[in-house]
Amino acid sequence: MTTPPPEPPLSWPHCGHGAAPDDPVGCRGIHVPGYTACLAHLADTERNAYLAGLEPGDDVDHRGTSFTAPLLSELLGALRDPGTGQAHLGDAWFESATFEGDAWFHSAIFKGDARFESATFRDYALFNSATFRGFAQFGAATFENNAWFESATFEGYASFGAVTFKGDARFGSATFESDAWFESAAVEGDALFSAVTFKGDARFGSATFEGYAWFHSVTFESDAWFHSATFENNARFGAATFKGDALFGAATFKHPVDLGPFVCAGRVSLAGAVFGDPMTLSCVARRVECRRTRWMSTAELRLRYATVDFSHAVFEYPLTIAAEAAPFVLSDGRPVTEQALAGTPDATVRMASMRGVDAAHLVLADVDLSECLFTGTVHLDQIQLEGACTFDTVPPAMHWRGWRPIRFTQRRTLAEEHHWRASQPGAVPGWNVAVFGAGRVGPLQLAPVYRALRKAFEDGKHEPGAADFYYGEMEMRRHADDIPRSERGLLTAYWALSGYGMRASRALAWLGAAMLVTIVLLMGLGLPQDAPKQAATGTVPAGGGTVTFEIDKSDPQNPTGDRFTGERFEQALNVTLNSVVFRSADQDLTTSGTYIEMASRVTEPVLLGLAILAVRNRVKR
């Protein structure tokens, strides 16, 4: 049988009452000043004398003492202010004390430090309306029944680190004017923090909430830390206000979660969090970070103002990220106050990154994707884009690259194309430079992203949007480093002639230019000087009889003199228009004219077809 390690020696002179071989320490209560026993083991006359000497506001030191409910009542009665009926304590030391009955500190005022480290409360602990003006230390305490701190005021630091609440922990309407530490606390009952105000940092890192966790109408005026916390049951943050950051990194939510609606003036960090059941997040925040989160059931994120980082998130069921058009409304019909974000231009929800995400189950509704990083997203072709999901566009207006004018036809583009083009030598103004952490991507990585988004738009019957992403895909293919020179030349010609079959105006311009060149060439070289005349020749037999004639036509003669006349223009125009529709005009041509017409009948119908194709891609639904 293993012998347990010996207890560390106590740091105070202790009573030792009841010491035995199996408990050589005995009672651990500190000596009452002037006596050799603790308050619990003093003789009645000695205890009465000690209590009679106390006045409201005195310091008390009862470390390790075991209190029954009557004994605690006697102690607090000796410290009670006759005028207010409230117990006034200076520095109060109850470290490792045991409260066998109800610990009734209702409305007590602790003017100095209140130290309850490692204390054990075997029944109700009632600190309602208590005031702690110094350091309130409850670290590693154990509350075996409900603990009530409702309407309590903590003016100094409040430490509940590693505390165990085996019943409910009720802090409704409490006020923490400095930092509040609940790190590694364990709440086996319900944790009720409704209408609490945290004016300093609120730290719940690694805390465990086995029952309901209610933070309804809580106000966090500084940062709120829930890093690595575990929520075994429902967690609710409705109408909460975070004036700093709300940090839920690596937290675990094992039951349905309804976070919000709440307001966060800073960022809401869910990085590394795990959600085991359906989850709803409704919040107004500047930034929502969901990096490396894991969603094991359905989830819906309804947001306002937020920029969302969803990189490397993993979800196995449908997940929706949607922008809420109007302010959130609480269950009682009141709108959520958004004063904390009053300086923000609009309530648009923006996606910052979806890298590393499997988008097969992702639905985006009414979000701004102009700054979103897409490279590395899996199954992007299966993403569902609902409502007004907007992308970035090319730089507007005319720009000059040396002597050449540069003008971009408006289309949807990815933020990463902006970053790549801005990094190229001679880039025109208007392309956005890469933000820190965006990495370096080029056409080779962007082409499949454009291809996948094109398919997503096609599946959504949004052909104009699909056309924009087809254009982007072809642009990235043309600029990629892994294609042969011949293919690059072919793509360049396709781009120059018709914008990959997407720019009707470009194809029509080329068609007009080709027709004009054809007309000029026909007028200068293709039309003969005069229309060839037919001549009939024959021989009359000497003795009479049948005369046989041969009808022949002279070859067209190359033109001379004035070739550019109205009549010749009309003839050339007629030949050209027939060539566009792949018909042959009944017009005599010179040898050069015949070849000009043949070339026209090949090129001009192709350009007309490209223009028609571009128009169709823009109007098709």
Side-chain angles (χ1 to χ4, degrees), residues 50-322:
Y50 165 71
L51 295 176
L54 293 177
E55 294 182 356
D58 280 351
D59 297 340
V60 292
D61 185 355
H62 295 290
R63 287 173 284 178
T65 302
S66 180
F67 284 91
T68 62
L71 179 60
L72 178 62
S73 179
E74 287 183 46
L75 174 64
L76 296 180
L79 297 167
R80 202 173 304 279
D81 185 340
T84 63
Q86 295 175 291
H88 287 248
L89 297 85
D91 287 336
W93 293 71
F94 291 94
E95 180 182 346
S96 300
T98 300
F99 298 89
E100 300 289 347
D102 292 346
W104 189 276
F105 287 89
H106 181 80
S107 300
I109 298 176
F110 296 85
K111 295 182 177 181
D113 293 341
R115 307 191 69 98
F116 288 85
E117 301 103 310
S118 302
T120 300
F121 297 84
R122 299 200 186 280
D123 214 324
Y124 288 100
L126 305 170
F127 288 84
N128 293 350
S129 301
T131 300
F132 299 85
R133 293 181 178 169
F135 182 23
Q137 171 61 280
F138 287 84
T142 300
F143 295 85
E144 297 187 358
N145 210 315
N146 294 342
W148 297 68
F149 290 85
E150 294 194 341
S151 300
T153 300
F154 298 85
E155 297 182 4
Y157 286 98
S159 176
F160 290 83
V163 168
T164 300
F165 296 93
K166 294 187 177 181
D168 294 344
R170 296 175 176 265
F171 287 82
S173 300
T175 299
F176 295 84
E177 297 190 359
S178 189
D179 294 347
W181 292 67
F182 288 83
E183 300 209 354
S184 301
V187 185
E188 298 180 9
D190 294 339
L192 307 173
F193 286 82
S194 298
V196 172
T197 299
F198 294 91
K199 295 185 178 181
D201 289 347
R203 295 178 176 265
F204 290 83
S206 301
T208 301
F209 300 90
E210 296 186 10
Y212 287 96
W214 291 82
F215 289 84
H216 185 78
S217 298
V218 173
T219 299
F220 298 90
E221 297 191 0
S222 189
D223 295 340
W225 297 70
F226 290 85
H227 187 80
S228 299
T230 300
F231 296 86
E232 302 273 357
N233 215 310
N234 289 346
R236 296 183 180 273
F237 287 79
T241 299
F242 298 83
K243 296 184 178 180
D245 295 338
L247 307 173
F248 293 85
T252 300
F253 299 86
K254 296 186 177 180
H255 278 265
V257 181
D258 185 5
L259 297 180
F262 63 82
V263 177
C264 179
R267 62 192 174 103
V268 177
S269 177
L270 300 171
V274 177
F275 299 90
D277 268 342
M279 183 269 195
T280 301
L281 172 64
S282 305
C283 79
V284 179
R286 295 187 188 277
R287 188 172 180 86
V288 176
E289 297 177 353
C290 299
R291 295 189 304 272
R292 302 188 184 281
T293 49
R294 184 174 182 85
W295 314 75
M296 302 171 69
S297 187
T298 56
E300 182 179 23
L301 282 67
R302 306 201 66 84
L303 310 171
R304 285 174 60 79
Y305 296 95
T307 297
V308 185
D309 183 353
F310 218 70
S311 55
H312 303 287
V314 177
F315 44 94
E316 304 168 8
Y317 294 89
L319 186 148
T320 300
I321 301 176

Side-chain angles (χ1 to χ4, degrees), residues 424-449:
Q424 300 304 297
V428 301
W431 295 110
N432 300 324
V433 297
V435 296
F436 178 77
R440 294 178 61 87
V441 297
L444 195 61
Q445 294 80 27
L446 289 174
V449 177

Side-chain angles (χ1 to χ4, degrees), residues 494 500-502 504 608-618:
Y494 192 23
Y500 310 112
M502 297 290 125
L608 178 62
L610 290 175
I612 295 173
L613 176 64
V615 172
R616 178 181 178 276
N617 287 331
R618 284 296 171 185

Side-chain angles (χ1 to χ4, degrees), residues 211-513:
Y212 287 96
W214 291 82
F215 289 84
H216 185 78
S217 298
V218 173
T219 299
F220 298 90
E221 297 191 0
S222 189
D223 295 340
W225 297 70
F226 290 85
H227 187 80
S228 299
T230 300
F231 296 86
E232 302 273 357
N233 215 310
N234 289 346
R236 296 183 180 273
F237 287 79
T241 299
F242 298 83
K243 296 184 178 180
D245 295 338
L247 307 173
F248 293 85
T252 300
F253 299 86
K254 296 186 177 180
H255 278 265
V257 181
D258 185 5
L259 297 180
F262 63 82
V263 177
C264 179
R267 62 192 174 103
V268 177
S269 177
L270 300 171
V274 177
F275 299 90
D277 268 342
M279 183 269 195
T280 301
L281 172 64
S282 305
C283 79
V284 179
R286 295 187 188 277
R287 188 172 180 86
V288 176
E289 297 177 353
C290 299
R291 295 189 304 272
R292 302 188 184 281
T293 49
R294 184 174 182 85
W295 314 75
M296 302 171 69
S297 187
T298 56
E300 182 179 23
L301 282 67
R302 306 201 66 84
L303 310 171
R304 285 174 60 79
Y305 296 95
T307 297
V308 185
D309 183 353
F310 218 70
S311 55
H312 303 287
V314 177
F315 44 94
E316 304 168 8
Y317 294 89
L319 186 148
T320 300
I321 301 176
E324 192 75 9
F328 293 106
V329 178
L330 301 175
S331 56
D332 59 4
R334 293 182 297 113
V336 172
T337 302
E338 301 177 348
Q339 187 63 33
L341 286 90
T344 307
D346 53 55
T348 303
V349 175
R350 298 171 174 84
M351 294 296 296
S353 176
M354 293 201 313
R355 288 183 173 176
V357 170
D358 186 339
H361 300 291
L362 182 60
V363 180
L364 301 179
D366 300 315
V367 299
D368 183 352
L369 299 169
S370 61
E371 300 175 0
C372 186
L373 304 179
F374 284 99
T375 51
T377 306
V378 182
H379 294 144
L380 190 55
D381 57 319
Q382 299 179 36
I383 192 172
Q384 296 184 52
L385 302 177
E386 306 290 344
C389 291
T390 58
F391 289 82
D392 209 342
T393 58
V394 297
M398 183 77 73
H399 302 276
W400 293 86
R401 184 178 294 163
W403 57 271
R404 291 183 300 153
I406 302 293
R407 179 182 177 276
F408 299 97
T409 304
Q410 288 300 300
R411 63 178 174 91
R412 297 170 177 85
T413 59
L414 300 181
E416 289 139 313
E417 181 181 349
H418 271 258
H419 303 163
W420 170 73
R421 289 191 183 273
S423 67
Q424 300 304 297
V428 301
W431 295 110
N432 300 324
V433 297
V435 296
F436 178 77
R440 294 178 61 87
V441 297
L444 195 61
Q445 294 80 27
L446 289 174
V449 177
Y450 273 112
R451 187 180 306 118
L453 286 172
R454 170 178 62 83
K455 186 176 184 301
F457 272 74
E458 288 175 345
D459 292 344
K461 306 303 180 183
H462 193 327
E463 294 297 335
D468 282 348
F469 288 107
Y470 172 74
Y471 191 101
E473 175 192 353
M474 299 299 287
E475 276 286 271
M476 296 302 101
R477 285 182 56 193
R478 182 166 70 91
H479 289 287
D481 297 329
D482 66 334
I483 65 171
R485 182 175 300 178
S486 58
E487 183 179 347
R488 191 190 309 278
L490 181 62
L491 290 175
T492 300
Y494 192 23
W495 163 76
L497 290 175
S498 65
Y500 310 112
M502 297 290 125
R503 301 292 180 259
S505 59
R506 192 178 305 179
L508 290 174
W510 279 108
L511 176 60

Side-chain angles (χ1 to χ4, degrees), residues 550-569:
E550 291 182 3
I551 300 176
D552 197 5
K553 191 175 185 180
S554 61
D555 292 333
Q557 300 298 312
N558 289 330
T560 59
D562 188 6
R563 307 178 187 187
F564 298 94
T565 63
E567 181 181 357
R568 291 175 65 82
F569 172 77

